[in-house]
């Protein structure tokens, strides 16, 4: 199976907030073909399908030659996963032609809320499957907090139905959680056929979030992302500590990753310039260009 390059539009969410269609045009012009959509304007909280009709968005994507293969659909911190209107979310993404819906982040901190989250993910996964879509969970770092002999991530994996819930591994967040991303990818097998690729600055110790054996009471989940993770931790692809040669040699060897998706969270310079350079890096290692 040939691996394809994707772009998660969180990479340019500020630009998307200000000029939705203009941002899509820029992304297409630089050569991206496959998009993982953001469906909400982070400035206003409004869904883009409330600002523009589904047929208009779908036609624009078609005109630009963009394949919206996936969409990130989450809930605000403090909200229940099941508070979202999943019937509408599934219907809209199916209408746009998306193959997958990804839940980007559950603010889990202990065993019980993780088990409840797993049950909710199963419910949403069932709804997606009935509509012909795949459903994924996307990790950050806090899921690798340990509870006893296991981690929250492992609890999620063990208590979700592989037929209903897959995983979109963010390789750098796995690293920041203290796990080996390539070993975890291999362990998940074809249950993880999409990955997120970012890079971490050379000034960052990758395992600074959980410097010792983390237990569920050690650290407030939100503080990880407001106090420990810094905006300048992330850099353009190929300028940080990620070993792209090793990573993509392994991905090609495994053979089941369908999409390697750029997610540039860096704060340096012009974001369009950054993601254009990221595309060149990915073409080198994904396509051998």
């Amino acid at each position: 199976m040939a691996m394809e390059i994707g772009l998660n539009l969180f990479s340019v969410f500020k630009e998307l907030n200000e000029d939705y269609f203009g941002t899509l045009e820029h992304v297409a012009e630089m050569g991206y073909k496959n998009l993982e959509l953001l469906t909400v304007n982070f400035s206003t909280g409004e869904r883009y399908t409330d600002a523009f009709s589904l047929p208009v968005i779908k036609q624009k994507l078609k005109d630009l030659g963009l394949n919206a293969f996936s969409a990130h659909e989450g809930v605000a911190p403090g909200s229940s996963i099941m508070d979202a209107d999943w019937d509408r979310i599934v219907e809209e993404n199916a209408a746009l032609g998306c193959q997958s819906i990804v839940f980007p982040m559950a603010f889990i901190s202990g065993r019980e809320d993780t088990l409840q989250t797993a049950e909710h993910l199963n419910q949403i996964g069932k709804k997606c499957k009935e509509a012909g879509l795949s459903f994924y969970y996307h990790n950050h770092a806090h899921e690798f907090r340990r509870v006893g002999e296991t981690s929250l991530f492992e609890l999620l994996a063990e208590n979700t139905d592989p037929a209903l819930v897959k995983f979109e591994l963010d390789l750098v967040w796995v690293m920041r959680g203290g796990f080996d991303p390539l070993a975890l990818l291999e362990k998940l097998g074809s249950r993880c056929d999409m990955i997120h690729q970012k890079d971490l600055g050379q000034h960052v110790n990758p395992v600074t979030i959980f410097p010792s054996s983390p237990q569920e009471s050690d650290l407030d989940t939100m503080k990880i992302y407001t106090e420990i993770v810094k905006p300048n931790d992330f850099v353009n692809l190929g300028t940080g500590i990620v070993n792209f040669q090793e990573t993509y040699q392994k991905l090609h060897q495994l053979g089941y990753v369908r999409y390697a998706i750029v997610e540039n969270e860096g704060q340096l310079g012009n974001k369009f310039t950054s993601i254009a350079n990221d595309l060149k890096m990915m073409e080198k290692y994904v396509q051998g260009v």
Side-chain angles (χ1 to χ4, degrees):
M1 179 189 302
M3 197 186 327
E4 296 193 58
I5 299 166
L7 175 71
N8 182 285
L9 286 176
F10 185 77
S11 305
V12 285
F13 76 90
K14 292 178 182 176
E15 293 76 9
L16 207 66
N17 290 345
E18 295 169 4
D19 184 359
Y20 183 77
F21 290 127
T23 299
L24 294 181
E25 289 168 4
H26 280 308
V27 165
E29 285 166 6
M30 62 184 67
Y32 282 100
K33 301 295 184 187
N34 303 301
L35 293 188
E36 190 164 52
L37 300 178
L38 281 194
T39 57
V40 174
N41 184 314
F42 287 169
S43 292
T44 65
E46 180 183 40
R47 289 184 68 80
Y48 286 115
T49 51
D50 289 330
F52 314 105
S53 72
L54 275 168
V56 168
I57 295 173
K58 186 171 184 177
Q59 187 62 48
K60 185 66 172 181
L61 291 167
K62 182 179 179 181
D63 291 346
L64 294 173
L66 293 170
N67 168 37
F69 66 93
S70 179
H72 270 212
E73 294 279 7
V75 296
S79 300
S80 166
I81 295 175
M82 303 311 291
D83 285 347
D85 185 349
W86 287 104
D87 288 331
R88 176 186 178 183
I89 288 169
V90 170
E91 183 180 347
E92 287 187 351
N93 283 294
L96 284 174
C98 290
Q99 304 158 9
S100 309
I101 291 175
V102 181
F103 190 79
M105 190 177 197
F107 289 88
I108 50 179
S109 59
R111 181 179 297 274
E112 291 310 312
D113 64 340
T114 300
L115 293 176
Q116 182 181 56
T117 295
E119 180 52 38
H120 289 160
L121 295 176
N122 281 330
Q123 292 174 36
I124 301 165
K126 185 172 185 291
K127 196 178 290 288
C128 288
K129 186 174 184 178
E130 289 168 350
L133 303 179
S134 298
F135 182 63
Y136 292 73
Y137 181 84
H138 171 276
N139 67 281
H140 285 70
H142 65 279
E143 296 92 345
F144 299 96
R145 185 194 308 261
R146 292 197 176 276
V147 284
E149 297 300 313
T150 190
S151 68
L152 302 183
F153 184 91
E154 288 165 307
L155 281 176
L156 279 181
E158 291 163 5
N159 290 279
T160 46
D161 184 344
L164 301 177
V165 181
K166 301 174 82 169
F167 289 92
E168 178 183 74
L169 275 194
D170 187 302
L171 303 184
V172 167
W173 279 127
V174 175
M175 185 195 309
R176 299 212 72 177
F179 276 51
D180 178 343
L182 296 182
L184 182 57
L185 183 67
E186 190 165 13
K187 183 178 179 181
L188 287 169
S190 58
R191 198 175 178 189
C192 175
D193 58 8
M194 302 199 299
I195 61 104
H196 267 203
Q197 186 65 68
K198 52 172 65 77
D199 207 345
L200 197 60
Q202 297 185 20
H203 62 286
V204 181
N205 179 342
V207 190
T208 49
I209 293 174
F210 301 129
S212 58
S213 178
Q215 298 301 316
E216 58 184 299
S217 60
D218 284 350
L219 192 61
D220 176 75
T221 300
M222 281 303 296
K223 285 185 178 179
I224 294 172
Y225 304 105
T226 57
E227 297 180 13
I228 296 177
V229 174
K230 306 298 183 186
N232 67 347
D233 283 359
F234 301 105
V235 295
N236 296 338
L237 300 189
T239 66
I241 65 174
V242 170
N243 185 329
F244 281 82
Q245 182 70 41
E246 177 188 6
T247 298
Y248 283 86
Q249 184 177 354
K250 183 67 173 180
L251 293 183
H252 286 299
Q253 176 190 331
L254 291 174
Y256 47 72
V257 174
R258 297 182 301 122
Y259 286 102
I261 304 160
V262 172
E263 186 183 32
N264 187 312
E265 294 191 39
Q267 303 291 319
L268 301 173
N270 180 282
K271 288 309 292 276
F272 290 124
T273 301
S274 292
I275 64 170
N277 290 332
D278 290 345
L279 177 58
K280 291 174 184 173
M281 268 295 292
M282 294 295 277
E283 286 174 340
K284 177 179 178 181
Y285 289 102
V286 174
Q287 300 173 343
V289 174

